[in-house]
Amino acid sequence: MSRVARPVSLQRRLMLSVTGAVALLWLLTAWVTYNETRHELEELLDAHLAQVAGLLVSQAGHGEVDAHDLDAAEADARDDDADTDDQGSDHGRVDTPTLHRHAQRVAFQVWQDGQLRMRSPTAPLTPLTELRHGFETRALDGEPWRLFATQGRGRGVQVYVAERMSSRADILQGMLVGLMSPLALALPLIALAVWWAVRRGLRPLGQLGQTLAGRQPGDLSPVVLPGATPPAELLPVLQNLNDLLARIGALLDSERRFTADAAHELRTPIAAIRAQAQVALAASEDAERRHALQATLQGCDRASHLVQQLLTLSRLEAADTAAPTPGTPPVDLAALARAVVGELAPEAVARQQTLSLDAPAQLLLALPQPGHDTLLRVLLRNLVDNALRYSPEGAQVQVRLSQDAQGILLAVDDSGPGLKDAELARLGERFFRKLGTGRSGSGLGWSIVRRIAAVQRAQVQVGRSAPLGGLGLQVRWPTEPGA
């Protein structure tokens, strides 16, 4: 048994998306901050090395004037304490004292005429680098150092200043901790703020769900959210939902009226059939029984015709009125009209009516969707059948087909009594029939004609027939733009 996929929460999706975007932005900011801070720190510390080297060059230049005094002072210092290598060394070299615990992280040397004149306790007795001027990063005793070399003026002064790279890393780490710690602490607070904002922003959706869940099945009134005006993003949803409820309500009302009218209309033929069946059962003579059975069959035919009309109209109510389906083959309207007129010709002959057709040999009509040729046959049959049914004996019924720049025209004219203006206004209403015709019917034929015309995007006009004086009806299929 397949498991139903659990729906993803919109709130959770927004939380993950926004929080992930904030975290990614935080990481990008941290990376940019790290690179910028490291670059600026490198520039600052390199400048510091160059400044220290400049000071040493100045001191070395000053020491050139008092070199003999410096040698005498160093000789006296060796006589006073031969063991104090930190205060002096042989051959006029001065070792500076260690005054701070971080002094072990820096080193410098001052060379003059190839002799080491001054150095820090961390500097070796050999030159730190062979470079004469500029910056260099190299390993000393297995540890990377940043070095700066420069030359003094006169008497071959060479100065080297170096700093451990680990010292720079410690400084960079301390600065980054100071910079990024507040941002790291703010990240959970940002996530909490995002959660609160998303939850508050999606609250109207929860209210809409609760409102719909609490509704009764038959409640089709407009949906109204409690409280203030809903957000602009939710207004189209509410408007479309309320429009849908209004259309459903109208459809249900129409179906209720249709069901009530259909039940009322079916009651008459069913009652007539029952009455004739009772007459047939009670009849003692064969002629009387035969007459009752014939009346029963006629009632069954009327009921069958009514049911068929109801089913046709029901299918039309659910017909797809979407855009035309590309590639739908056209229908020969002239051939279809000849077939329908041929089917109804015997009925016209039986009533001594004249039924004529004026149509070209072929007239192709493009229909919106496949299968609409059946609806077109129903439309033609209803129009011709109504003209014959409601025209007196000996009347004329004329069917004409033509095509012009405006489209294809179907005209059905008869020489009957026609309809008054009030009756024309009601023509097309379900179960409306003109009284006094003496003809049976359900009154659904015109409703079916108008519905088929609407489905096939045709225009229907009803009025007085110009050629015959009775009822004249025209159905026009307009020419499609660009056709």
Side-chain angles (χ1 to χ4, degrees):
M1 182 177 179
S2 61
R3 298 181 60 185
V4 179
R6 197 176 170 187
V8 180
S9 170
L10 180 59
Q11 178 176 327
R12 182 181 178 185
R13 185 182 301 174
L14 287 175
M15 275 289 302
L16 292 177
S17 300
V18 177
T19 306
V22 171
L24 182 61
L25 183 61
W26 187 93
L27 291 175
L28 180 61
T29 303
W31 181 78
V32 172
T33 302
Y34 168 77
N35 283 279
E36 290 295 328
T37 304
R38 184 182 64 178
H39 175 72
E40 294 297 330
L41 183 62
E42 294 278 349
E43 293 286 339
L44 178 63
L45 295 180
D46 283 349
H48 179 66
L49 288 180
Q51 185 179 13
V52 172
L55 292 175
L56 292 176
V57 167
S58 298
Q59 291 180 3
H62 185 338
E64 291 173 8
V65 180
D66 300 327
H68 296 288
D69 296 337
L70 178 60
D71 291 339
E74 290 176 357
D76 293 339
R78 284 196 301 271
D79 291 338
D80 294 338
D81 188 358
D83 297 330
T84 55
D85 291 338
D86 290 339
Q87 299 297 324
S89 59
D90 294 335
H91 309 292
R93 186 184 71 246
V94 177
D95 294 342
T96 60
T98 301
L99 302 178
H100 195 272
R101 60 187 179 90
H102 292 305
Q104 298 294 329
R105 301 185 177 185
V106 295
F108 67 87
Q109 291 178 338
V110 178
W111 294 79
Q112 187 174 12
D113 296 331
Q115 299 294 323
L116 181 59
R117 294 297 184 181
M118 185 183 299
R119 75 180 181 93
S120 64
T122 53
L125 298 177
T126 58
L128 291 173
T129 179
E130 298 178 356
L131 185 67
R132 293 301 177 186
H133 183 78
F135 291 95
E136 182 184 19
T137 302
R138 59 177 301 179
L140 298 177
D141 296 332
E143 186 176 355
W145 287 68
R146 180 68 169 172
L147 295 97
F148 177 73
T150 186
Q151 295 176 341
R153 295 179 181 178
R155 298 191 61 184
V157 177
Q158 182 72 40
V159 176
Y160 301 104
V161 183
E163 182 181 19
R164 293 178 187 266
M165 294 299 294
S166 60
S167 176
R168 296 191 171 199
D170 293 341
I171 297 174
L172 178 61
Q173 181 180 359
M175 294 179 65
L176 291 177
V177 169
L179 289 173
M180 304 306 297
S181 294
L183 294 178
L185 293 175
L187 191 59
L189 299 179
I190 294 175
L192 183 62
V194 168
W195 172 83
W196 177 82
V198 170
R199 184 177 180 84
R200 186 174 182 273
L202 295 180
R203 187 179 302 168
L205 287 179
Q207 293 176 347
L208 177 60
Q210 294 175 359
T211 301
L212 295 178
R215 281 191 162 231
Q216 297 298 324
D219 186 4
L220 298 177
S221 61
V223 177
V224 179
L225 292 182
T229 304
E233 292 79 7
L234 198 58
L235 280 178
V237 177
L238 286 175
Q239 291 175 355
N240 293 331
L241 179 60
N242 289 332
D243 290 344
L244 177 61
L245 292 176
R247 292 195 299 270
I248 292 175
L251 180 61
L252 290 178
D253 292 340
S254 176
E255 291 300 324
R256 293 190 189 100
R257 291 193 302 269
F258 178 72
T259 303
D261 294 341
H264 173 75
E265 198 68 22
L266 283 171
R267 189 182 298 115
T268 300
I270 292 176
I273 292 172
R274 179 180 176 82
Q276 295 297 331
Q278 290 175 345
V279 171
L281 287 175
S284 57
E285 298 181 0
D286 291 341
E288 183 180 4
R289 184 180 298 108
R290 175 179 292 275
H291 182 269
L293 290 176
Q294 288 178 347
T296 301
L297 290 176
Q298 292 176 357
C300 290
D301 291 339
R302 288 195 297 270
S304 176
H305 177 73
L306 176 60
V307 170
Q308 183 63 36
Q309 296 284 75
L310 290 173
L311 291 176
T312 301
L313 191 58
S314 177
R315 286 195 297 267
L316 288 173
E317 292 290 346
D320 186 9
T321 58
T325 302
T328 302
V331 176
D332 188 354
L333 184 58
L336 196 61
R338 284 191 289 268
V340 171
V341 169
E343 293 174 0
L344 296 177
E347 181 180 345
V349 172
R351 300 197 64 201
Q352 299 179 357
Q353 295 173 331
T354 302
L355 177 61
S356 62
L357 173 64
D358 181 10
Q362 186 182 48
L363 186 58
L364 298 180
L365 174 63
L367 296 177
Q369 294 179 355
H372 277 208
D373 53 341
T374 302
L375 298 181
L376 189 60
R377 176 183 288 273
V378 173
L379 181 142
L380 282 168
R381 185 176 181 85
N382 271 280
L383 291 178
V384 180
D385 180 67
N386 282 342
L388 295 174
R389 185 184 297 271
Y390 294 102
S391 296
E393 294 184 358
Q396 297 182 22
V397 176
Q398 187 179 82
V399 181
R400 291 180 292 110
L401 288 174
S402 61
Q403 186 175 14
D404 54 22
Q406 298 179 353
I408 295 177
L409 177 66
L410 166 66
V412 179
D413 299 283
D414 62 63
S415 61
L419 294 174
K420 299 178 181 179
D421 293 340
E423 294 170 338
L424 283 175
R426 297 192 60 191
L427 191 63
E429 293 182 7
R430 291 174 175 175
F431 306 109
F432 168 74
R433 291 187 296 120
K434 180 180 179 181
L435 300 178
T437 60
R439 303 293 292 173
S440 63
S442 61
L444 293 175
W446 284 106
S447 297
I448 293 175
V449 167
R450 289 189 180 277
R451 184 57 185 160
I452 292 177
V455 169
Q456 295 186 353
R457 296 165 176 78
Q459 303 168 358
V460 180
Q461 293 181 351
V462 184
R464 178 67 61 177
S465 172
L468 300 180
L471 187 67
L473 185 141
Q474 294 182 350
V475 181
R476 180 179 294 276
W477 288 267
T479 302
E480 293 293 335

